[in-house]
Each structure stands twice: as C-alpha cells, then as structure tokens.
Amino acid sequence: MSKDKIVRMEHGAGGEAMQTLIRDVILKNITNRSAGLVGLDDLDDGATINIASNIHDSERSDEIVITTDSHVIKPPFFPDSNIGRLAVSGTVNDLAVMGAAPLALTCAMVVPEGFELDSFEKIIRSMNAAAEEVGVPIIAGDTKTVDRNGLDSIIINTTGIGIAYEVIRDCGLCPGDRIILTGTIGDHGISLLAHREGFDLNTDLVSDVAPLWNMIRSVIPIRTIEGKPAISAMKDPTRGGLAGALNEMAQKSGTGIIIDQKDLPIRGSVSSACEMLGIDPLEVANEGKAIICVKDENAEEVLSIIRKHEYGKDAAIIGEATDSNSGKVLMRTTIGSMRYVDTPTGDLIPRIC
Amino acid sequence: MQTQCRKINVSGVVQGVGFRPFVYNVAIENGLCGYVKNAGNEVEIVAEGEKEELERFLHNLYFKKPTLSQIDQIRTKVFPVSGFSDFSILNSEQDETTNSIIPPDTAICSDCLQDMYNSKDRHYHYPFTSCTNCGPRYSLVSSLPFDRENTSMLEFPLCPECGLDYKIPSDRRFHAQATCCPNCGPVLSFTNGSGDVLASGHDAIIKCSELIDDGSIVAVKGYGGFHLVCDANSDSAVLKLRNSLDRPAQPFAVMAKDVGTVCSFASISADESSLLLSRQRPIVVLDKSDDLSLSCHITPDLHNIGVMLPYSGTHHLLFDNSDTDVYVMTSANLPGLPMVTDNGEALSHLERIADHYLLHNYAIRNRTDDTVIRSVNGRMAFIRRSRGFVPERIELPFPIEPAIGVGPELNTTVTLAKKNNAYISQYIGNTRHFETAQYHKQVVLNLGQLTKIEPGLWGCDLHPEFNTTRFAQETGGDDTVFVQHHYAHIVSLMVDNLLPVDSRIIGIALDGAGYGENGTIWGGEILEATYSGYERTAHLMEQPMPGGDVAATYPSRMLLGMLHDVLEPKELRDLPLYFKHGEPERNIALDQLEKGINLARTSSAARVLDSAAALLGVSHYRSYQGEPAMKLESVAKKSLHNVDLPVKCKRGVLDTTSLLYDLYERTDTYAVCDLAYSIEDTLAFGVAELAISSAKKRNIDVIGLSGGVAYNEHITGRISEVVKDAGFEFITHKKIPCGDGGVSLGQVVVAGSSERIS
Ligand SMILES: [Fe+3]
Ligand SMILES: [Mg+2]
Ligand SMILES: [Zn+2]
Ligand SMILES: [Zn+2]
C-alpha cells in the first residue's frame, strides 16, 4: 500500500488522508497554536481569540471567532451559482456553525492571466450579494495575478471574523442529543460534477451554496428548561459530506451517532444520480447545509424554526447521539439492518465479492 | 499377577458423545478399577488391573469408541497403584485444557426415532429425545466441560425416570447431557403471529403440518436457529415467501421427507445419497430433474436445488402429519442479519414474513446455519460449512502459535488455531452489517471459550474498510497480520491438503473480489505461494468498474467497461443490456469510462463471468451473491457443442477484453448455451495455461485451485484436466470451503506462523 511521498489529491479531499496530513505535517511543525478557547489543534470550523471578560457575566467571555478558507472550484461558474458566492458562504457558514455572527470578511484572490474580466466582475458581484444577504462587510482584500501556465482558474481566499456570545463546537455532542440536518444532501457536489463532466442527469438540479447565518442565528438563543443552550454542536457538511462531518463530530465528542436512512432528506434526482455514478450521497459535498445537534427536549422547536427559513425547508431530524459505539456513526438502512457510515477515504474500493 | 495402574488422557471429540460411559463399560468388561472424568476438554482415566487387562482396555478404547467420538490423542503414563475398589464416573473438573472440543450437532439416531414412534415408550411423539449418539451439541453449549449445567438443558432438571436412564451405564442415555422426556424436557408450542399459543406438544405438530399444507408460512425453531417453512409444491406459498423476504431469485433450500421423495425431483448419485443420509444431514445441491414436480420458483433459472433430509424429531413428526412431502426450508433472517435464534426476536423480526410459529422453549447458544455441500468435479465441496461440522477440529500440517483469523466480509467465518489444531466457526454472514459484525465478535468470544485458545496474533484481510479488518486492528493492535485475500484462499487450500511446511505451489484463485497489494481489486490470480509468502505471477486483465460495486450489482456496467476500448460508441449503445435507470445510466457509465470518473479496477474472474451473463442476456441484476455466474453455469449446462474462442495472454496477463469481444462477435451465430459454455471453458483453459507456464518457469509441480468461482463444476473440471494433462499434480479443497468461508483458516495459518512482530 506504500504510495509516493508526495501530496496527493486525497490530501485535500476532507477524508482520512487530509486528517493525517494535518496531524503529521502541519500541527507537528507549528508551535504556537492557540489564542483562546478554540485553537488550531481543535481542527474545528474556525478558532477563537479571547479578548476580554464579558462585562455582564464574569464566568464567561465573548469570543472573537476567526476562520479562513481558500476556494478552488472547477469550473468557477456552476448551476445557479459561482465561486464568489461560494467563497463568502463558506466562510460565513464556518463562523455560523461556531455560533458566531459575522463581523467582517477579507478577501484575497489569485487570478490567472487571461481570465475574462466580465467573469471576474460577475464573481465579485456574487460575493457582494452573498455578503449583503447576511449583512457582513468585506473590508480588506488582496489581488494577485499569475502566469496562465501556473494556474488554470481563479482561487479565492476569504477570512472571516465573527463574535460569539457562546461558542458552539463540533465536539459538544452528548448522548441523547438529536441531530438535525437543515436540508437535502448532495445537491452541490452532484450538480457540480454533472455540470463539470457534462453528465446528462436530466434534471434541473442546482448547487445549494448559501450563507446560513440568518437561519442559524434564529435558533442559537434557544434554551432548555434548565436554561442551558439547546444547541450542543454544529458543523457544516462540506468536503467529505455528511459522512465525514458526522464521523468527526462523533470522534471529537466521544459519542456514537445513529442516523436513519429513511429520514435523510435527499432529492430523487441526487439519489438516482448517485446510483448511476456509484457514489455514496453521504460522502458528497454540500455548501448550504448545517448539522445542528440539539437537546432532545428542544428538537422539535428548533426543527420548526429552521424549516420556516428558505434554506431550511427540507430540514429533518436524521438521528441521535448514543452512549454506545463511541466515535462511530451507524445508519439504520431502509432494508432494516444497520451499517457503519465510514469516514470517506477519497478512494473507491469495491468490496462486493 | 501384579496389579498395575495407568493414567490415561484422551483428547479429541470425547465429551457429549457418551465417552465416559463407554470407558466405564469397557473398564468393567475388563475387570478394572479406577475412575473416568472430564478434565477440561479432555477425558482423564485412571485404571488399575492386570497388565493384560489394561492392554485390552486400551485397545478397546481406541477401536470401539462411540459413534460420535473422535480420538486425536491418547497419552498413557504409569501411575502409583492406590487400590480402588470399583470403577466410577466422577464429576467433571474445571481445568486448563489442551485440544479437545465438543461435537457438532447430529441428526436424531434410529434408536431415538424408534422410541419416538413407540406408543409404549415415554418418549412417544416427543421430538426432543436424544442420546449419547445423537441430537444437538454445539448449538446447546455455552462453556466446557460438556455437562448439563453448561448447556441450555440446565433449565430442565431430569425427572426421576430420565435420572435413572442417565445413571444406568448400559443405557444409551447414560450420561447423555441433553436427555429429556415429556415429563421434564422442553415443549413445543404452535403460535400465531402475536405469539398466542394455539396448540402445544404433539398437537402443535399436527396443527403446524396442517397449516403448512394449507399454504401458511411457518417459522420453525430448530437446532441452530429458525427456518421459514412452506409447502414446496405451492407456487403461491413460495412466491409469498419470496415477496415478504424481498428475495426475488435467491434459491431456497428444501427438505424432503425421504430419499425416495428426493428422487422424484432431483437426480442423485450414490455419494450424494449417502451424504444426504449422513448424520450431519447437510443441504446437498442436486441437479433438478427435467420434469421438476416442485414449484418452479424455488430455484429460478438454476439447474440445481439444495436438498436436505429431516434431522430433528420435529422434522420427522411434521412430515408424518403432513400431506406435503417437500418443504421449502430457508434460514429465517432479514437481509444482512444473522438467522433468528430467539423466540421473542422471531416474533418481532419475522412479523411480516411468518404466519405462524412452531417454537420450543430452550435457548440456542450457538447459532448454526445449515451446511451446504455440492458435488464439484466428482468431489464434495463445501459451499457453507456449518451445522453438523462445526466445531470439528481441522488438522494443521505443522504447529503454529495461538492465533485467530477473523475472515473477510461476506460469508465470513473465524478460525482459532493453536499448535496443530484449527477450529473454523460456523457461517457468520455479511459483516458489512452492524448486527452481523456484532455476531462476529460474539463468535470470536464463544469459540475462544470452547477451544480455550487465546490468540496472540490476529490475521485479517487487507481490505481497509472491512469491519473484520477494523475489529482485528482494534483488538490485535501491533499483533495484527494483514493477509491478502487470495493468498489466504491459497493457504487454506494448502492446509486442506496437509501440504508440509516447506511446500511451494502455484495457486489459482478465481474469485469475486479481494483487495490487492497494489490497491486494485483482485480475483483472477495466479500466485506462487509458500506458507511464508507469495508472488503474483499472472492474472486476468485489470478491467474498469464504472462506479465500483454498482458494476458488480449490475453486470451490464461491467460489460461496458470490458468492451469500452474495442467497440465503437454506436456498438456500445446498441448492446442489448439492462440498466436500472434505463438509457441515461448507460450514457453516464460510458461517460465515466471515457473520462475516468469514479472507476475502480479489477482482475476478478467472477466479474468476467458476470459480464458474459449480461452479454448473453442470461442475467442483468445480481439479487444474491453469485447470481449472474450461477445462471450462466446453468445455461451452459445445456450446451451441446463448444465454440472455439482464442486465448490471448501477454506477459502473464490474460486478455479478458478480447475474450469478451470474441464472444460478442459470435452472439448472432451461435446458441446462447454454447457461448456460455465456451466462455467458461476458454477462461478455465486460459487460466490453467497461465498457471502451467508459471509452474514450469518456477520449477513447481503442484497446481491448486481455490476461490468462489471454483464451485463452478465446468471451470474446475476443465482446469483440472488441462493441469493434469500437462503432467502436474492438481489439488482442490476437501474439508474447507473454497469460497470466503475458508479465508479465515488461511489467515490464521499465515498469522500463527509469522514471526512475532516486535
Ligand atoms: Fe474470496
Ligand atoms: Mg469548513
Ligand atoms: Zn439417539
Ligand atoms: Zn424426563
């Protein structure tokens, strides 16, 4: 199984290979990795910077949340959206799933020589529209151009700063918590693949890219009867899909997760496309969905609020956290048995004998 | 004459088979004093008497041993005389152990049947009667020694009469741990779907047979689990069962009243008949008669049918009271889950499948599915080795360290081994499913307890995503030994043939899928193998699988992959194939092949046969394991002449694309059955030639065949013929399945003979 000692595509695919790269190469070589409650080691959606004690409550302090993401997507324009909307939504969502209101974004772009100016402007306008949607200013930027031989498409990095009254982690899941998925899975990855490769899926499937802060902010204040936060953990299932995100949450939280296949929101067109391509929809990337883990008593309330939002109308409770099978994700399949949902490896390895 | 004393330790299958009473009787006959007892999983004897008597005793011990016993070793040593006044059977002793084990489940014997039919006997119409020569064993026992309190019979204290049988040395129920009667033993009850008891005892039998005759589906609790039973003559009952199980085509086994009945719907050789009647009572796969009297939905599109004869008292009584003389008898399990063994579980899991239940009230400790055997090329081949054979000892040709092989994923078994002894577990099933993976862990525990083997080395498959692989890694840690799937097949073959430790063979592994060292999926491999390693000397061409596993489920996709490079786009679009999502799926699969998106690569032999099945219109969807290739084999059976197809090999790679292309070119000219026959024949011939050329180059004179494709009689026969004609010795499996049920044995031997990892 020995492979060359070079960076491979899997190293950026959000699966086990990437986690290994991060742990064994990146974390190992960076010495100062924390500025607050959440640091680099946590490998969360973002990190926090502790500024000062909260004036209302000495036990707690507001946290500044910071996150950064480089966006490369081929092609930069895809059904119903483009890299500009993606670059803003991705960063806003990384803040949102940590419970942070976006305060400001910066944007750095690397553009290959020869990129059409019209397209470039279209991208900037889409960035603006997405930022406007959640009311976040874009306050600094950087633009570089490179030789067309060195780069064949635009790269956009966005950094976001947000503020959280109470940081929500991806490791806060407790046994008994219910798991809400805010909409259908696989729309982004499948529509993009179909568009890029020219597969005729015979549908009007489009990407789900969207900034989720407006939807998520409406459920953050919800409390249990005892006054504790209703939301115990959040994550956006981007690269690595739902399978990758749930496994990460289960491992970091030290709980098991059981989901029910019949409750998974998925469009018929996505599910048949996945069957035709031999792709597991649980491993397909999403860009406008969040996994929200909620105390059992608040689950229905949170669900109904999420469903009122346009990005959450297909939301569903897909499962719950368990005491048993710690660190693992199980799915009750539609045929009645259960199977493990594995962290995507980025490889397609047949097993049917 | 001087009195001498001997201490004798006997190991083998010596518990639960009437061994101590047998020893007692032989001792008394020879006028010896002393005792016999179970010590751990051996029998320990101390015998005093004259030298001659002692010698006669030892001779009888070996040559007159009870039917079900098996003696692996007798160790005798001189012991100080202590002046016993009689010979007695002592209670068992908990002890550290060597290598004896309890016997497998066995069909009810003729003596017990006689009692069951004798209206004067208290066992009249009592199906649970058993003796030292018969009845359930492995399925009953939870730990050693095999004493009543370590079995499910613990809850049924002996009544005075049974207690007497148990104590009289001349009785065949003397120390029979599972003996019982209507006064003290388990009872049958017949219930409706909600578990309301409608009848019990013999009335339950009468009611049950009546309802089977009327077309009901009944879940019947047996030795090692539940069966779903219905009238095999009734199309509507069989179809109802198919629908409710969601098994559109998977063959069902049947149970026939007697051999005469079997002859009415299947052809049967003398070997097959004695196998059917053997005390293990396996399912034997027989060729169907041309005028099959049974429902045609039992084994749709196959030329054969799995048949067994009654093995429990309950089975006999059911047939006695039934107008139906052939029942469908299939393991009661939901797709992917282990067979149901528990009453409560049965009522909830089989709710939508069974109309009624025939239950008994003792617990099944070890689930054991029926064993399935098929005659392949004149030999009996295990398709599934389970009830009646597990946990029999498998002799290893050389001693190994205590180790375990956890098996692959599908049809898995586990094997525990130590020194020269290996114990292969019952069939476990598909560990992809969580519940079956849990059961797998349970089997590891139980078999560990029964064999007292504590594995220090953990052999597992190379596939990184198998639950069994993960389990081995989690439990075995640094002591995990990864064993390539097909190498494990070949090692199991070498062990099965008791090849000595320094053997070197050319192994042909023809199979569905196994993770290869190079990250592709293997399955048509020629390996030069020793017990310490292997080299892949030749293989089938690696072919693209558009979408991975989905190409195994829908062979049309696999065929597109194989022909993609040699047919024009129009020809590819015109192939008469089936796709689940219709023509758009064909286009997507072709696009995938064109652009290299989501393709895996495989050299699997099964996928070649699948593709041929799709090309010839024989099978387009795999609803059960092996379906396309099995249907291809059934079609090929009808062939009258072989169509010549050329074999092309380059640098040890058999060109399967050109093989399929040549087949494609002839589809308009020849009959489907002749083409089906030809592809099997040519593939077999090509593979045999590859093996022979490897063997010649490497100066090896033994060539062997393993892997699931070896169940194909024609392919195995052809390979054997070509290999033998070229002057090589040809070996195949004897006691071990050539399919994935044998892989754990290969793993354990590789792990247990590997150097300890530091
Ligand atoms: Fe195999
Ligand atoms: Mg992120
Ligand atoms: Zn008997
Ligand atoms: Zn009794």
Side-chain angles (χ1 to χ4, degrees), chain A residues 197 199 201 272 275-279 328 330 337-340 342 345 348-353, chain B residues 337 409 433-435 463 465 467 470 474 513 547 549 557 580-581 591-592 595 597-598 607 622 740:
Chain A
E197 307 298 344
F199 289 135
L201 297 180
S272 58
E275 279 187 30
M276 288 192 274
L277 291 160
I279 290 174
K328 306 236 161 104
L330 281 168
S337 66
M338 295 219 279
R339 73 166 175 86
Y340 285 111
D342 298 324
T345 54
L348 177 73
I349 316 177
R351 65 211 294 166
I352 290 186
C353 206
Chain B
L337 303 191
E409 178 165 85
H433 302 274
F434 172 76
E435 293 86 344
H463 199 299
E465 292 177 7
N467 286 323
R470 295 202 175 114
E474 281 164 20
D549 274 336
R557 299 178 65 105
K580 184 182 178 198
H581 297 277
D591 269 0
Q592 283 185 284
K595 294 166 181 156
I597 290 165
N598 215 35
R607 295 296 89 82
R622 164 204 168 105
D740 283 2

Side-chain angles (χ1 to χ4, degrees), chain A residues 353, chain B residues 485-486 489 511 513 708 739-740 743:
Chain A
C353 206
Chain B
H485 186 89
H486 302 101
H489 271 303
D511 203 22
D740 283 2
V743 165

Side-chain angles (χ1 to χ4, degrees), chain A residues 45 69 94 236 238:
Chain A
D45 297 287
D69 230 325
D94 279 345
D236 55 341
T238 54

Side-chain angles (χ1 to χ4, degrees), chain A residues 116-161:
Chain A
E116 277 183 31
L117 213 50
D118 267 0
S119 304
F120 185 71
E121 190 173 353
K122 232 177 175 173
I123 289 170
I124 303 297
R125 277 202 238 107
S126 295
M127 291 184 74
N128 186 58
E132 284 282 338
E133 212 181 304
V134 289
V136 60
I138 299 173
I139 57 169
D142 172 58
T143 308
K144 294 277 183 329
T145 54
V146 293
D147 189 306
R148 67 178 80 203
N149 298 320
L151 188 70
D152 62 357
S153 190
I154 187 167
I155 299 177
I156 303 180
N157 172 280
T158 49
T159 296
I161 291 206

